[in-house]
Structures are given as structure tokens and as C-alpha cells.
Amino acid sequence: MILKEFLELRRDKRTMAMIVVLPLVLLVVFGYAANFHVDDVSTFVYGPHADAVAAQLHAPFVVDGVDPAGTAAQAEEALRGREAGAVVMATGTGTESTVLIDGSDLFAAQSAAAAAAASGGLLTPDVLFNPDLQTSWVMVPGLVGMIMAFIGTIITAIGLVRERQAGTLEQLAVMPFKASDVIGGKIAPYFVLASVDMVLVTVLGSFLFDVPFTGNVAVLALGAGLFLFTVLGIGVLISSVSQNQGQAMQMALLTLMPQILLSGMIFPLDAMAAGVKWIGYLFPLTYFNMISNGVMLRDAPLDSLAMPLGVLAGMAILVFTAAVLRFRRDLAPAAPKAVRSPAPTGSGR
């Protein structure tokens, strides 16, 4: 019996991946990514004494720009657009300098505020967008994306595999529909349900935890639509390579856990090792977190969110195209070959 179980495990590649790959992922994540202290905060220095004050700044402040003509309004716009994590208003060479800090980036803001408080009067911290540095203000926008990722990936994958096992999907495949029509029709209900859940979580989060919603609802809806389209496509891909619901659940967890841990929602991306951080940029949840955080807390303008919106659009197109191609190859039955008519017999000449 023991030998039999080992042989079955060896043949079950997905279970072996859960046993071998998942512990390695957890080890790498918690070894290299589980760091809440941000060592480098991108900093601009504005004001007439910008050059003198910039020379006195120390870690974690990393001076990426100096503008003696910069104003307080420009400083706030730089933070709103996430061009910098902090902006020093150098109106004086001593205690008159104020550092404006982006409170929507919680861990970087905590590091910057602590350094300003320990500067011996050189800097006076002023935290924007999350003045009290409340964790819930940063977590709720991330939880919106996490919940949509769970619904879009796990529920879609399991639902489609269940229909595949019941034979319903194959029956639809022989009807006069294109593969994209079948997939689109199947994921539409999940898209609607996930959208309703997103609205509920956003409204309840804002109500229960006093999380502000300062931005444009349409921008968040656009980002959420692209993100949902992507994760639903991932769920379809998982269903197309899974033989049963257990396999679909395993593969969905393998894709979800790294997303949640490496998307910047729990551990700050700026505090991760370079290799692990770039893995985080491969996941759609990373870019949706940028959008939801920017819209809800900072009222980020559309142009500052063009990069995450563009990446999500590209991911959505790529994943949906792969899902359609995979459906055609593995789920849709092959078209019957044309039957050659027999050659006509001779006329007896």
C-alpha cells in the first residue's frame, strides 16, 4: 500500500507541485519578501533652499529631484501621482523645512515619518492621504482586489470543471458557437457576481473603517473590469488543464498565494529583494492594488494610473486569447473529417 501511494503521487504531477513548489514559494516569500521596513524612500526637494537641505538628508530619504522653484501645490501633485514617496519643502535651512509624506504607502510613510521625527528638528513630518497612518485605510483597497481574485480564479475554474465533468461544456462546444462565445457566456455571470462583491466590499469597507473614497468611480470601475477579465481568463485556463475540481482548486491556490504575498498588499514591494520584487510585477493583483489605492486614497489622476491600466489591459487580452485557444484545442471536439465520395464507376466503354 505504501509503494502504491508513492507511485500514485509520482504520477499526480499537480499534487507533487503542491508538495514541493508551495513550500519553496513560502520559504522564498517569507525569507526575502517578509520585510516591513522600507530603506529607500524616493524624495523630491522643493523650495529656495532645496540644494542646501538636500545635502543634509540621510536614509531612508533618497533624493531623486531638486527644484528650488517648486511649490507646495506641485509637491502634493507629485505625491498624488506617486512620482515620489516624500517631498521636502525647503523654505528654510533649519526647522522650517517640512516633509510631505504619502500616507497611502503605509510602510514607506512609517519609515519616512520616523526618520523625520529623529532628524533633530531638520524636518517636520506632514502625512497626506492617510494622516493617522491607519492600516485599514491601506488594507481595504487591497482586500477588494484579493476578493475579486478569489472569485474570478477559484469559482470560475471549479464551475467550468464541474460542467466539463458533467458533459455540459462539450454539448455547448458542438453548437454553432465560437470558442470565444462559449467562454464569454460562461464567465459573464461570474463577472457580474464579482462586480457586485467588489461594490459591497468597497462600500462596507468605507463605512466600517472610515476609509475615504476620494477619486473617480469610473477609473476604479475601468481598472476593476480589466482585472476581473484577467483573473476570469486565468480561471478558464486552469479549468482547461484540470481533470477534476480538486486539481482546479490546487492550481488556483498555486496562482493565488504568490499573488497575495507578492502584490504589495501585505509586504511592501520596495522592501523586497530585487529578484522577488520583479516576480510580484508579473501578477495582475499588483497593478490593481496600485489602481484601487490611488483612486480611493489619493484621488490619483488618470494619467498617473496609465501604466497599471495598460498592463492590465495587455494581460486581459493575452490571457483571454490563451483561454480561447486552449478551449479550441482541448475542450472543443475536433471537426469531423470530410468523407470522400467514391469515384464514379466506369460507363462500360
Side-chain angles (χ1 to χ4, degrees), residues 224-300:
L226 293 173
F227 176 68
L228 270 178
F229 204 58
T230 304
V231 295
L232 288 169
I234 293 174
V236 173
L237 281 176
I238 290 173
S239 70
S240 68
V241 298
S242 301
Q243 300 300 319
N244 52 59
Q245 296 181 47
Q247 291 181 358
M249 177 68 76
Q250 289 177 350
M251 294 195 66
L253 289 176
L254 279 175
T255 61
L256 281 171
M257 185 167 291
Q259 278 200 82
I260 294 170
L261 295 175
L262 299 178
S263 64
M265 184 183 75
I266 298 176
F267 307 116
L269 284 170
D270 292 336
M272 296 180 187
V276 177
K277 179 166 68 173
W278 285 110
I279 295 174
Y281 285 117
L282 299 176
F283 299 125
L285 185 56
T286 302
Y287 300 97
F288 180 75
N289 285 343
M290 296 178 185
I291 296 169
S292 61
N293 184 289
V295 171
M296 293 182 67
L297 300 183
R298 302 194 314 275
D299 187 16

Side-chain angles (χ1 to χ4, degrees), residues 7 24-25 31 38 66 89 99 155 212 222 228 249 272 288 310:
L7 291 174
L24 293 177
V25 169
V38 178
V66 177
M89 293 305 303
V99 55
I155 305 302
L222 174 62
L228 270 178
M249 177 68 76
M272 296 180 187
F288 180 75

Side-chain angles (χ1 to χ4, degrees), residues 65-96:
V66 177
D67 184 4
T71 64
Q74 291 174 329
E76 185 171 339
E77 286 304 311
L79 294 180
R80 195 182 304 278
R82 200 48 86 78
E83 299 174 33
V87 179
V88 177
M89 293 305 303
T91 55
T93 57
T95 57
E96 299 176 20

Side-chain angles (χ1 to χ4, degrees), residues 12 59 79 84 105 116 123 138 147 151 172 311 318 332:
D12 190 349
L79 294 180
D105 191 352
L123 299 173
V138 179
I147 290 170
I151 294 174
L172 290 174
V311 172
L318 181 64

